[in-house]
Amino acid sequence: MLSIQNLTKSYGKKVAVQNLSLEVNAGEIFGFIGHNGAGKTTTLRCVAGILPYTEGVITIDGHDVQKDPLNAKQALAFLPDNPDLYEYLTGVQYLNFIADIFRLPADVRTARIKDHAERFELSDALQNPIASYSHGMKQKLAIISALIHEPKLLILDEPFVGLDPSASHLLKTLLRELCGRGGAVFFSTHVLEVAEKLCDRVAIIQNGSLIRQGKTADIVGDSSLEDVFLGLQEKEES
C-alpha cells in the first residue's frame, strides 16, 4: 500500500531524513517511533505530498506521490498532530466540505457522517460552529474528516495525544476496521505502549535514519518496546 524507497529530505544543509526505506502492506497497522526531532513528521508530510523531498521514491497504492499526486492523494488521508480546521464553519459544514473534495455522493456522506458522529458522541454538536468546540471535540471532528472517504492509506501524526480513553479506544477500533477492509495505517507515536499493543510492525527512527524495523513481536522479544527504544537510543548516543 505504501512504499518508501531511499527517501532523503534536507532543509538547506540540515538533513532531516536520510536514505529511509520501508513498506506498509494492505491490512497492516505500522507504527513509526522516535523522539521529537527524529524525522517522523517530516517523513509523514513527504508521504502525504505536502513536502517535496530531495531524493527517493514514494508510492501509494502504486501511484508515485510526485509524478501522480492526484491519484496518490485520492487514496490517502493525512491527519497532522495539530490539524487546522475552518472554525467559522459548523461541524457538519466542514465534513461536507471534505466530502465534496473527495466527491462523495450525498447518500454515502450522510450515512458516514451520521455513523461516525454517533460513535464519537458528536451528533449534538455538528450544527455548532467549530470555534465553540473543545480541543477534544476538534480532534474527533478531524478524525471523522480523515475517515469519511474510507482512504486506502491513513497517515496519522501522534493521533492518540489528547484523546480521552473512550475516544482512544474507538480510534483503535476504527483503525482495525479500516485494515479489515484492505486499507493500511501508518502513524507516528511516542506512546510506546499503544504502539506495542496495536501495531503489526514498527520502525524506529533516530536523527533521520531508521535504526530498527520489523514485526512488533520480533522487535520486542522478551522485553517491552520502551526498553528496546531506550536501549537503541543509548547505543546511538554513546
Side-chain angles (χ1 to χ4, degrees):
M1 188 61 69
L2 168 65
S3 173
I4 305 174
Q5 299 297 326
N6 307 117
L7 173 65
T8 297
K9 170 62 181 176
S10 301
Y11 297 97
K13 294 182 179 180
K14 176 178 172 56
V15 179
V17 178
Q18 177 69 48
N19 199 34
L20 185 149
S21 296
L22 61 81
E23 293 186 349
V24 181
N25 302 314
E28 184 173 59
I29 298 179
F30 196 109
F32 198 40
I33 298 164
H35 58 75
N36 291 337
K40 302 191 303 296
T41 295
T42 294
T43 301
L44 265 58
R45 289 181 178 272
C46 288
V47 171
I50 296 172
L51 284 177
Y53 37 94
T54 314
E55 296 177 15
V57 177
I58 301 174
T59 58
I60 297 172
D61 196 30
H63 303 289
D64 189 297
V65 168
Q66 288 189 321
K67 295 179 180 178
D68 190 11
L70 183 59
N71 284 317
K73 290 179 181 179
Q74 285 178 335
L76 68 83
F78 173 55
L79 187 64
D81 59 343
N82 188 25
D84 290 322
L85 306 175
Y86 297 122
E87 297 198 353
Y88 60 88
L89 296 176
T90 65
V92 71
Q93 286 174 334
Y94 180 75
L95 293 177
N96 274 303
F97 167 69
I98 299 298
D100 285 341
I101 292 174
F102 290 99
R103 300 176 180 176
L104 290 183
D107 58 336
V108 173
R109 72 175 66 185
T110 299
R112 290 180 185 173
I113 289 172
K114 182 177 183 294
D115 177 55
H116 287 310
E118 287 177 351
R119 296 178 77 173
F120 276 107
E121 300 180 343
L122 273 185
S123 299
D124 294 339
L126 285 185
Q127 301 302 326
N128 299 332
I130 297 172
S132 68
Y133 286 19
S134 67
H135 176 71
M137 292 167 68
K138 290 176 181 176
Q139 278 189 289
K140 292 176 183 179
L141 186 71
I143 292 169
I144 294 171
S145 72
L147 294 170
I148 195 169
H149 73 286
E150 296 189 350
K152 292 183 177 181
L153 175 67
L154 182 58
I155 307 166
L156 307 158
D157 195 359
E158 298 286 358
F160 296 99
V161 175
L163 285 181
D164 60 63
S166 176
S168 180
H169 176 74
L170 176 56
L171 178 57
K172 294 171 190 175
T173 300
L174 291 169
L175 297 185
R176 277 295 171 203
E177 288 178 1
L178 186 149
C179 290
R181 296 191 298 268
V185 177
F186 182 45
F187 78 96
S188 72
T189 185
H190 64 265
V191 185
L192 300 180
E193 185 178 4
V194 170
E196 185 173 338
K197 292 180 178 179
L198 184 63
C199 295
D200 302 298
R201 288 194 297 139
V202 296
I204 299 173
I205 184 173
Q206 178 139 352
N207 298 323
S209 298
L210 283 186
I211 56 176
R212 190 81 180 271
Q213 68 170 307
K215 292 181 179 179
T216 307
D218 292 342
I219 288 181
V220 170
D222 296 326
S223 57
S224 70
L225 187 54
E226 182 177 29
D227 292 337
V228 173
F229 175 69
L230 293 175
L232 289 170
Q233 189 173 20
E234 289 172 359
K235 288 181 182 179
E236 287 291 312
E237 292 175 349
S238 63

